[in-house]
Amino acid sequence: MNAKLFFTNLFISLVVGNVWGADEPAPTVGGLPSEAIANIAAGMIADAIPRDYEKYKDWGSTKRITTGLDFHGHVWDPKIDRRKSEVNDGVWKHYRVTLVEPEKNLVVRIENLRSVAAGQVAFTLDISAKVHGWAQARVYKDGIPLGSYTAEGDSVIDLSIDGEIGLETTPSSLISGIQIKPHVSAARVKLDDFNLTRIGEIKGALAHDLGDGLKHVVEDELDGPKLVERINHTLDKQKNKLKITPEKLLGLKTQDRRL
């Protein structure tokens, strides 16, 4: 048997050799082992999670105050106008959160892998990662700078992502290939308060506010529709990487993901 014929038979056996719903220990997708397909999708989804987050709050806020007086008119009947100017005022805040060495610390586990329809499986990804937070506050009162304060801290996030995977056929030079089509439907994040390791001379409410602000940055970015939309957009742009053809099959490997 020549190599092309051998490869074609191998591919056919993988794609159509199993029947959906047969007595197998684990669900399949279109006859392919669902765990292998889920591993491919899990890696793509994990790669789509942003590594850096940044947010400003009240940064650049100003206040209009009187900064001088203008006199005009006659000496015995002077007119006085107040000169107004916009000056820096309030507490300016800048937050930045970064995943710490995700290639080592971002760990992905596939949970609750199950069949939901013919040729379709659902899953939950449990993702844990270490994050480092940095926050700065600049305080102004009527244009006068009262101080600049910086805080840093670390935490661990636990992220759950729900999704589904389907398959559809796609043209190939030998026989039809397969397009893996993952879709994320929900994202939930759990984050402990940041353990502030460096807070300088910050005290009281401001220190608490910076730590709480770092937490909100992560929750805003990773909890709910914003992350779901971002991941699905990334998956759509990289759909060619989720295409399996006979030409690629011999190089396909699945293994536990630790990114």
Side-chain angles (χ1 to χ4, degrees):
M1 181 182 296
N2 63 42
K4 182 175 180 179
L5 181 59
F6 170 79
F7 191 86
T8 301
N9 289 338
L10 173 63
F11 190 73
I12 291 174
S13 69
L14 284 172
V15 176
V16 300
N18 295 313
V19 179
W20 179 264
D23 294 329
E24 296 176 346
T28 63
V29 190
L32 289 173
S34 60
E35 186 174 355
I37 300 299
N39 254 329
I40 298 172
M44 298 289 289
I45 291 171
D47 288 342
I49 297 173
R51 270 45 179 169
D52 298 283
Y53 318 89
E54 195 167 33
K55 182 178 180 179
Y56 293 87
K57 184 177 181 182
D58 301 323
W59 195 266
S61 63
T62 61
K63 179 181 181 181
R64 192 170 179 82
I65 65 171
T66 298
T67 55
L69 300 174
D70 291 329
F71 296 88
H72 59 90
H74 297 289
V75 175
W76 55 87
D77 186 21
K79 303 295 184 182
I80 303 175
D81 293 330
R82 296 179 183 273
R83 188 165 58 250
K84 300 283 188 176
S85 299
E86 293 286 338
V87 297
N88 296 339
D89 190 73
V91 181
W92 300 9
K93 298 167 190 171
H94 179 195
Y95 303 99
R96 185 184 300 124
V97 177
T98 305
L99 270 63
V100 179
E101 298 183 316
E103 67 281 357
K104 294 195 303 184
N105 298 319
L106 187 66
V107 180
V108 183
R109 296 175 297 276
I110 302 172
E111 303 287 349
N112 197 21
L113 187 62
R114 62 202 184 277
S115 59
V116 292
Q120 187 176 20
V121 294
F123 62 92
T124 296
L125 295 185
D126 287 336
I127 300 173
S128 64
K130 294 181 180 180
V131 293
H132 178 76
W134 174 93
Q136 184 182 79
R138 296 182 184 179
V139 184
Y140 296 91
K141 176 63 177 177
D142 294 338
I144 301 173
L146 301 182
S148 179
Y149 308 95
T150 300
E152 295 184 63
D154 300 286
S155 188
V156 174
I157 59 170
D158 292 308
L159 179 64
S160 294
I161 296 177
D162 296 328
E164 302 83 35
I165 304 172
L167 299 181
E168 67 179 26
T169 58
T170 184
S172 178
S173 59
L174 296 176
I175 61 174
S176 295
I178 289 176
Q179 178 72 55
I180 303 172
K181 300 190 69 175
H183 177 79
V184 169
S185 56
R188 302 171 301 280
V189 67
K190 180 182 178 183
L191 172 70
D192 294 330
D193 290 335
F194 270 87
N195 177 28
L196 296 181
T197 55
R198 185 171 74 84
I199 59 175
E201 298 179 356
I202 304 176
K203 298 180 181 179
L206 183 56
H208 178 271
D209 194 34
L210 289 182
D212 195 51
L214 288 171
K215 180 178 179 180
H216 286 311
V217 170
V218 175
E219 291 174 337
D220 289 345
E221 294 292 333
L222 296 181
D223 197 16
K226 183 184 292 187
L227 180 63
V228 168
E229 181 179 1
R230 182 176 293 181
I231 290 176
N232 284 329
H233 178 68
T234 300
L235 291 174
D236 185 63
K237 289 199 305 181
Q238 301 187 23
K239 58 185 178 182
N240 284 338
K241 294 182 180 180
L242 292 169
K243 184 182 297 184
I244 300 176
T245 63
E247 293 85 353
K248 293 181 179 180
L249 189 61
L250 287 178
L252 180 62
K253 296 180 181 180
T254 60
Q255 56 186 5
D256 292 338
R257 292 284 302 191
R258 180 177 289 266
L259 305 179

